[in-house]
Amino acid sequence: MSGKLNLTCGLSFQLAFIIPSLFVFLGGLFTILAFRLARYAYGFSIEKIWMKKVRDKDVWWPHKRKQSSVYWIRAFSTRVEMMLSAQTSVGCVLVILVFLLNIGALIIYFVNLAEAEEFKISFPDSILYVDTGFNAFFLLYFGLRFVAADDKLRFWLELNSIVDFFTIPPVFVSYYLKKNWLGLRFLRALRLLELPRILQFLRITKNNYSIKLSKLFAVFISTWLTAAGFIHLVENNGDPWVQPANSQSLSYFKCMYLVMMTMSTVGYGDVVVQTTLGQTFIIFFIIGGLVLFANFIPEVVEIVESHKNYKSSYEVVSGKNYIVVCGNITLESVTTFLRDFLLQDKGNVCTEILFLGESLPSLELEAVFKCYSAYTTFFYGSALNSEDLKRVGMESANACLILADVQSPQPYTEDTSNIMRVLSIKNRYPNTRVILQIIQSHNKVYLPNIPNWDWRRGDSIICLAELKLGFVAQSCLVPGLSTLLTDLFIVKEDTETKRKYLKDKMLLEDKDYKVMTFQLSNDFADMTFIEVCRLCFVKLNLVLLGIELKFGSQGESAILINPSAQIKLHQNTVGFFIAHSLAEVRRAQFYCKACHSDIQDPEQIKKCQCKSRLYSKPFSEKLKFCRESHVLDGELAKSRSLGGVLPQTFVNGGFDGQGGENSRVILDSTGMFHWCDAVPLQEALLSRKDQAAPNLQDHILVCVFGDADSPLIGLQDFVMPLRASNFIYHELKDIVFLGSLEYLQREWKFIQNFPKLWLFSGSALSCADLRAVNVQDCAACAILSSNTTASSNPSLVDTESILATLNIRSMQGKSSSAPLDAVFRARALGNQSQRCYKRIPITTELKSSRNAQFINQAPSSNSEIPEQDQLFTTGAPAGAIFSDSFLNSLLSMTYYNHHILALLQTLVTSGTSPALGEQLLEEGGRLCRSLDNVIHSASQARCKLALLPLPRRLLTGAMDDSFGDIYCRALDLFGILCFGLYRLMEEPNPYKNRFVIARPASDLKMLSTDLLFCVVPFNVATTDDL
């Protein structure tokens, strides 16, 4: 190098390097501003003056030629912009090359610095030529960026541009003068801020934490090196206006040391700045540097430690219970799961929860794990990776629970991803129990193909769409049922809401009744279900809903709800009870005929020491009993595949009495559903011109929101419970689907074999379309919507459903016939001479339960309905709202007791089972006609849910009939099992809203307007007068 590098230089020598940079920066800035001003003035003159006076085509030609040139310039800049955005391979290489050359230029700066500080390091003069070549390339890259920039002024003031202004011109000056000056070349350290971007291009940093860590290091190092370079410059050259110079000799390493001491607030004082420029810089730098250093160290330590902890392995302890939760691990899903899991265990958590997430938790999610750190641990990994499964001890886990993203806009992808997780787990650990959430029911058919998947060993599928649509469908036949079942199975009763609208606050007890399972006493063996049910209610104060009948050599079982008198209980039979606590349910196991037959107080029934309870029938006697009861393994295995019903030999003769009705009934091959030949879409499509549409009466209207691109709701899950074979054919109501024809066409191929289905192209937001389908004469209305990503605000995801609900409510008018309340199922229990207004029972599906506030509102004061007949809507207690959030706790509930899920599926879906899903898989996922065209009496011998008024035959005429009296008479006379009430919120007007009472007290006084939630035998028509 010609000329030795000195740290101290004269002012004129420094200005020779600084003035070109300032000239380029300020000159370009003023040029851009002047160009903008000239362009604005030119545009103003063209628009206001020239265009008004000149209309000649030849005059416009230069203007058009200019437009053409502007187009080509714009096209060229767009090409350059695409190349610089690193979206192409050439652009990616260019960005990486520029970054590497910047690092090279920074290294050359350090090389010159070492020579200037007389470290006796000899470097060839050619290093100046290398640096000049680098900066020539930077100049070319700067020009390309300038051409591609849309906003030239903003580009000119960017940080990278300022770095180029004060580093590129001094290098060319050095080449011209053959003398070097360190100057502002330390600014090249700011190019290290591009490091995180480069690492993402190279796929080195992929997750949130690695990207965040790289950004922290880049900001810290670039700030450190740049600040040290500035102090090194001003301290070694001194203040320009001070003579003699007040400079001091500081090495670059001491400047780095000073900056570090300043940022860390240590400040030893052994190295200090002397110049005014240096002291001024330190005043401002210490504020920003202190904030930077104070945030940098804790964040880096936390990221490194958390990453290390999340990659650790779980230490399995013998005898300690733990579960693994994977799938959709987000803040909302984890919070909901923990709340439900703790509720199921009543706060006494004896099971540790291991969350296996495929992405590192956010800060909010980390806070949740810290709050529940006593029994939750997060592990970073994937259920698809065998090493990660080994780390969490999947082989010894009690169960693996897989969460699904219910709000996913692509439910098929979400389901198949979770099914792949099941496959990964079952392939490596076949004995691990898996409980899986599935969004769409038709995706269940893939699970039986997975090796080692067996629902007999506790593997369970929670199909959210199947249960949700089953709830809504049953609510169309039995208003309020969704609230009753969610009270008994899932969530706590909304007692406070009910009390608000009751005059007699003592009607509601403080007990929280739930469905529980427990083994029945062997003293109930050989008794019929009705006999056991009556004894449990009278003696034990328990409501028995059903039993689990075990059969076969492999431990198969079937859930029977209110079975016929032909079924007798075996020993060790499991019963399903409605009770307040487990202590109450234990009475059914402790009951002894010899010791407890004379006890009237249920609380006195405790475990006795009677020797007769230890007696167990020998195997030969059990076999004889099974043969006498016609319990054959082959028949029962078949019944299990049909959803838990019994073989034909168990069906009583009552069914055959309806031979005239059944002679024209066609069922599917499973015998579970009514079937018909495929109906063409055009034949099922109604329009305003059709004569069939105005004749619709007592039908079910289903308002569907979806379009050609929306995910399928799965209307087959809605139709199947309403077309179950345990309904007599004339009990089937017409179902009219109102929605977009493009969407209904996609759903029709799955429901075209069910009878009495109609389609109408329109919208529930249109009053004209609602009148066309006779909404005022419908028996019930359901509002469903597909998952959409139209809004990220939870309060707006249910906008269409809420507006449709309010629209239908506004159309509630005078009934054209007798004053029939739709809830009564065509039975008027009030004064028929008074004016009345028909109420349309509406069940609205909400994606977010918080949006119920928009539906729970009083009618306006200017309503045409008199004030005494206005309907004050309370959606949740009245059973008018069903939210996806109601099903969240099913995962925790299934882990503790998988029988409860099986019972709920039997009630809601009218008897579908895992084995039925396997049979549907063999048939291609669709129902087909029975080959022998024979009525499957065994499949039809299933009870059905109903909402019935008090029959006169159940009333004694006295004023003090209680629920206990009605319960026993209904059971004795008709075999009907009552387990809930639907009572008016206020008396005596029968047109007010109703609320649900789950498991009423035995001494609760009945009212003539009360409706009973019942389990009715298959051979009792709910439309007939009892």
Side-chain angles (χ1 to χ4, degrees), residues 688-703:
R688 293 185 177 89
K689 299 179 180 180
D690 293 333
Q691 297 181 355
N695 296 327
L696 289 172
Q697 296 287 334
D698 198 34
H699 56 288
I700 296 175
L701 177 62
V702 185
C703 305

Side-chain angles (χ1 to χ4, degrees), residues 325-371:
V325 181
C326 59
N328 180 42
I329 306 298
T330 61
L331 176 63
E332 183 179 359
S333 64
V334 169
T335 305
T336 303
F337 175 80
L338 289 176
R339 182 184 65 246
D340 297 331
F341 195 86
L342 296 180
L343 183 63
Q344 292 289 335
D345 215 6
K346 303 298 182 183
N348 300 322
V349 179
C350 301
T351 303
E352 189 169 357
I353 308 171
L354 310 183
F355 289 94
L356 182 61
E358 298 182 3
S359 60
L360 291 170
S362 61
L363 297 179
E364 295 83 358
L365 187 55
E366 279 187 340
V368 173
F369 290 136
K370 290 179 181 179
C371 292

